[in-house]
Amino acid sequence: MKVGSFTLEIINAESREPMKEFEAPDGKVYIEAEPDLEYFLRCSSDRPGRPRTYASLDIDGTGLGYKNRFTTKTADLGLWKSVDGVSSYVALKFVLKRTRAVPAAGDPAATTPPVGCITAKFYECTKGKGMVEAKDQDHTGKIPAGIDNQADNFSAMGETTGKKAFASVAGSTISGGGATAIGAVAGAGGAHSGGYGGGGAVAKKEKKPRMKPKYDTGPRLGQISIHYTSALGFIHLGILPTVPAVAADGAEDEGDRKKGGTSGGGDGEQQAAARDDIVAAAAAAAQAADAAGAAAALGGDHPVEPDRKRVKTEGAAAAANNNATGGGGGG
């Protein structure tokens, strides 16, 4: 997703390709979460002159604890750790969880699955004066490795409580780890004490502090948020079309007709006409089954009860097929 001079992409940790984005009717951008799919975050900038920029990342309102300095594009970012000047990033992962309670009737949350939010904030980065020590840092614990470890223990609520939703936790894929960070070996090396020829002892080498240039954080330049939810959430948000329901008598539910006629971005009148044909075919099949039962009764055989379950199933299958082939889509 690009806003102004900045871009935020959610990167599939396996393919290292950006995940497909979908825009909802309200203008918000979403990606489809899948259970156990791991991902990284990638930021880029096309600011004229390629000035330094800081990127700060939040997952569902929790900051990842660091700012990444870049000029045109970051590495594939995640949960960051730096040891001896070498940086590595642990991927994040989508997992299913349950909300704490069932929303009350009439609450929009009762019909719309919860969504997650990934946010990147961009700041001016200016070079300060002097040098600072480059200490080891470990921020991999900012996001827990599983739902059970979170402060809100959703698993304790039981499988029958709340609504299913997705959350982000720590994954297992690691990015980086093979490159030397800035200021990795500045001044490294030990010193000898005593003489080399007069019986002096060689002291233990002490690693000097690693130093790096100092950078300051300036004003915020922009912010990008990408949301994530399930395929069911896409339907509730109007990104994907609904599948029309067919009632037992072959008539489509009026509420579903209204939803289906406008969703998916297709021609609503054409979709409605096609669904009318499906309903008519289902009704004709029901009439034929009734006629067959009556004829069998007149011939002295036991009456044949029309297989309405089969008629309903066939009508629903036809409706679903029409929706898939002629109703547009959110792809």
Side-chain angles (χ1 to χ4, degrees):
M1 179 181 179
K2 190 175 192 301
V3 176
S5 299
F6 303 107
T7 300
L8 170 63
E9 295 175 300
I10 313 303
I11 305 299
N12 184 308
E14 182 177 358
S15 67
R16 294 304 173 99
E17 295 293 328
M19 295 182 65
K20 189 171 183 179
E21 298 172 354
F22 300 84
E23 185 173 349
D26 62 2
K28 294 181 180 179
V29 172
Y30 290 80
I31 58 171
E32 182 181 353
E34 298 177 9
D36 298 325
L37 187 148
E38 298 194 5
Y39 67 93
F40 290 105
L41 311 173
R42 186 183 296 166
C43 301
S44 56
S45 168
D46 60 5
R47 296 171 66 194
R50 301 173 58 183
R52 298 182 186 92
T53 303
Y54 267 136
S56 174
L57 303 168
D58 294 352
I59 306 294
D60 298 332
T62 299
L64 297 191
Y66 65 91
K67 295 190 294 292
N68 185 272
R69 187 179 74 252
F70 71 102
T71 54
T72 58
K73 184 180 292 188
T74 68
D76 289 347
L77 307 176
L79 299 170
W80 177 54
K81 179 170 69 174
S82 177
V83 179
D84 291 334
V86 179
S87 291
S88 61
Y89 299 91
V90 178
L92 295 131
K93 180 173 68 173
F94 294 124
V95 295
L96 280 170
K97 70 175 181 66
R98 285 185 178 272
T99 55
R100 182 168 290 280
V102 178
D107 186 338
T111 56
T112 304
V115 299
C117 185
I118 301 167
T119 300
K121 300 174 184 177
F122 300 93
Y123 298 87
E124 191 77 62
C125 175
T126 58
K127 191 170 183 179
K129 295 181 179 180
M131 305 284 285
V132 294
E133 183 178 354
K135 298 180 180 180
D136 291 348
Q137 298 187 58
D138 188 350
H139 297 275
T140 55
K142 289 292 184 179
I143 302 291
I147 294 296
D148 290 347
N149 295 330
Q150 292 187 4
D152 289 333
N153 190 344
F154 294 103
S155 64
M157 303 303 293
E159 285 300 310
T160 60
T161 303
K163 295 172 64 64
K164 286 185 177 180
F166 277 98
S168 289
V169 300
S172 58
T173 307
I174 298 177
S175 173
T180 301
I182 295 175
V185 292
H192 294 277
S193 65
Y196 280 96
V202 178
K204 182 180 178 181
K205 293 183 180 180
E206 294 183 0
K207 185 184 294 185
K208 290 185 177 180
R210 292 178 292 107
M211 306 300 292
K212 65 179 181 179
K214 183 179 184 297
Y215 290 91
D216 297 324
T217 303
R220 193 163 81 181
L221 304 172
Q223 177 175 318
I224 300 175
S225 292
I226 297 178
H227 300 79
Y228 62 88
T229 187
S230 62
L232 180 61
F234 275 29
I235 294 174
H236 282 287
L237 292 164
I239 299 173
L240 293 179
T242 58
V243 177
V246 177
D249 60 359
E252 184 182 348
D253 179 75
E254 183 63 21
D256 289 330
R257 176 189 295 278
K258 291 179 180 179
K259 295 178 184 177
T262 57
S263 64
D267 187 336
E269 294 181 0
Q270 291 181 358
Q271 293 180 44
R275 292 192 182 94
D276 287 340
D277 292 339
I278 295 169
V279 172
Q287 290 176 0
D290 288 335
L298 291 174
D301 296 328
H302 291 289
V304 179
E305 180 67 19
D307 189 355
R308 294 189 178 276
K309 183 177 181 181
R310 175 182 58 80
V311 172
K312 177 183 176 183
T313 303
E314 291 176 354
N321 181 64
N322 171 72
N323 189 68
T325 58

